[in-house]
Structures are given as C-alpha cells and as structure tokens.
Amino acid sequence: RVFDFDDTLATTDSMIILKNASGKIEKQTPAEWAVYKPRPGDEFDYSEFGGQLINPQEIKDYANILRRVLGAGNDGRRTVILTARAANAREGILSFLEDVGIDNTAIELVTLGSSDPQSKADWIEEKINSGYSDIYFIDDSSKNVDAVQALADKHPNVKLRAQLI
C-alpha cells in the first residue's frame, strides 16, 4: 500500500515557487502544481518542502485509510509513504505522523527528492520487478496516478490500482 504525503495525508503551507521564462515569480500550492503544465523556461523552487513541515494539517479521510491499513496487520504487505520531498523532510514527516497518532514504525518512508511523476512510477516498478504483485497507490496528482497506472499494461499479472483523490 503506497500513499503520497502532500495533499493526500496532510496539507501544509509549503509552496512551490515558479519563475517563468519572462521572469515573473508566483507561488503554487501542491494542488495547483499537480495540475500545472510546465512551459518552456519554467524554473521551480521546492525549498519550502525540505526540512520542517510548514503548518501541517491532517487530511482525516485519507489518514484514516492509512490507519485502517496499518490496523489490519501486515500479513506480508508493506505500507509506504512515497513522497517527492527530499530526504531532509523525513524527520518532519515522521514527527507529524507521530503527532497525529499514526504508528510511523510500521511505515516505510521513501523520499524521492524528485517531483517527476516518472520517479514514483519507477520506484513502484522496482517493487514489481522484485516480486510485489498487489499494489494500491493513492495520490492527489493525476500526473503521478497516470504514470503509475501505465505500469498495468506493462505488468498484466500484477494487481495494480492507482487512485486519484
């Protein structure tokens, strides 16, 4: 079971800073970035997504799904938070989970340090290639969900569900 973090399990006040080709600078929420189609010359600054989380708030519906998954026991399953955030965000995410009463010791936290949707798909494909055959992926970005769902055609013997929230 693979969960995204930002805008799936929690919202934060972290913003993506976009500088377009004309030099205009604007800030985007993760939700705005998730549907943004980059243009030539765009430059992105993800510095607000490192280290400490900025005003994190639990998204109860999906955090409760995570709690149910964890409460069901592992019976051979792994529970993963797969985030585009960099490694320096690990402690903040783990602390947040602990603060909202989620057992972070039963979760594998993977920090990709990449916002490219293919990075999440590649990580999941590595798990498929290592023998995993039942994968449920939940994310707020249609780009990420599409990249992961594309693996279904490539791996028809794998039960793969990619859910957009």
Coordinates of all heavy atoms in Angstrom, one line a residue, residues 128 131-135 151-160:
I128 N 7.7 -4.0 -8.3 CA 7.1 -5.1 -9.1 C 8.2 -6.0 -9.6 O 8.0 -7.3 -9.5 CB 6.3 -4.4 -10.3 CG1 5.1 -3.7 -9.8 CG2 6.0 -5.5 -11.4 CD1 4.4 -2.8 -10.9
G131 N 9.2 -8.6 -7.2 CA 8.2 -9.7 -6.8 C 6.9 -9.2 -6.2 O 6.0 -10.0 -6.0
Y132 N 6.7 -7.9 -6.0 CA 5.4 -7.5 -5.5 C 4.4 -7.6 -6.6 O 4.6 -7.2 -7.7 CB 5.5 -6.0 -5.0 CG 6.2 -6.0 -3.6 CD1 7.6 -5.9 -3.6 CD2 5.5 -6.1 -2.4 CE1 8.3 -5.9 -2.4 CE2 6.2 -6.1 -1.2 CZ 7.6 -6.0 -1.2 OH 8.2 -6.0 0.0
S133 N 3.2 -8.1 -6.2 CA 2.2 -8.4 -7.3 C 0.8 -7.8 -6.9 O -0.2 -8.0 -7.7 CB 2.0 -9.9 -7.5 OG 1.6 -10.5 -6.3
D134 N 0.7 -7.1 -5.8 CA -0.6 -6.4 -5.4 C -0.3 -5.1 -4.8 O 0.2 -4.9 -3.7 CB -1.3 -7.3 -4.4 CG -2.6 -6.8 -3.9 OD1 -3.0 -5.7 -4.4 OD2 -3.3 -7.5 -3.1
I135 N -0.5 -4.0 -5.7 CA -0.1 -2.7 -5.3 C -1.3 -1.8 -5.4 O -2.0 -1.7 -6.4 CB 1.0 -2.2 -6.2 CG1 2.3 -3.1 -6.0 CG2 1.4 -0.7 -5.9 CD1 3.4 -2.9 -7.0
L151 N 1.8 1.4 -15.7 CA 2.5 0.1 -15.4 C 1.6 -1.1 -15.6 O 2.1 -2.2 -15.8 CB 3.2 0.2 -14.0 CG 4.2 1.2 -13.8 CD1 4.6 1.3 -12.3 CD2 5.5 1.0 -14.6
A152 N 0.3 -0.9 -15.5 CA -0.6 -2.0 -15.5 C -0.5 -2.7 -16.9 O -0.5 -4.0 -16.9 CB -2.0 -1.6 -15.3
D153 N -0.4 -2.0 -18.0 CA -0.2 -2.6 -19.3 C 1.1 -3.4 -19.4 O 1.2 -4.4 -20.0 CB -0.3 -1.6 -20.4 CG -1.7 -1.0 -20.5 OD1 -2.7 -1.7 -20.1 OD2 -1.8 0.2 -21.0
K154 N 2.1 -2.8 -18.8 CA 3.5 -3.4 -18.9 C 3.6 -4.7 -18.0 O 4.4 -5.5 -18.3 CB 4.5 -2.4 -18.5 CG 5.9 -2.7 -18.7 CD 6.8 -1.5 -18.5 CE 8.2 -1.8 -18.6 NZ 9.1 -0.6 -18.3
H155 N 2.8 -4.7 -17.0 CA 2.8 -5.8 -16.0 C 1.4 -6.4 -15.8 O 0.8 -6.2 -14.7 CB 3.4 -5.3 -14.7 CG 4.8 -4.8 -14.8 ND1 5.9 -5.6 -14.8 CD2 5.2 -3.5 -14.9 CE1 7.0 -4.8 -15.0 NE2 6.6 -3.6 -15.0
P156 N 0.8 -7.1 -16.8 CA -0.6 -7.5 -16.7 C -0.8 -8.5 -15.6 O -2.0 -8.7 -15.2 CB -0.8 -8.1 -18.1 CG 0.5 -8.5 -18.6 CD 1.5 -7.5 -18.0
N157 N 0.2 -9.2 -15.0 CA 0.0 -10.1 -14.0 C 0.0 -9.5 -12.6 O -0.1 -10.2 -11.6 CB 1.0 -11.3 -14.1 CG 0.8 -12.1 -15.3 OD1 -0.3 -12.2 -15.9 ND2 1.9 -12.6 -15.9
V158 N 0.1 -8.2 -12.5 CA 0.2 -7.5 -11.3 C -1.2 -6.9 -11.0 O -1.7 -6.2 -11.9 CB 1.3 -6.4 -11.2 CG1 1.3 -5.6 -10.0 CG2 2.7 -7.1 -11.4
K159 N -1.7 -7.0 -9.8 CA -2.9 -6.3 -9.4 C -2.4 -4.9 -9.0 O -1.8 -4.7 -8.0 CB -3.6 -7.0 -8.2 CG -4.8 -6.4 -7.8 CD -5.5 -7.2 -6.6 CE -6.7 -6.4 -6.1 NZ -7.2 -7.1 -4.9
L160 N -2.7 -4.0 -9.8 CA -2.3 -2.6 -9.6 C -3.5 -1.6 -9.7 O -4.2 -1.6 -10.7 CB -1.3 -2.2 -10.7 CG -0.7 -0.8 -10.7 CD1 0.0 -0.5 -9.4 CD2 0.2 -0.5 -11.9

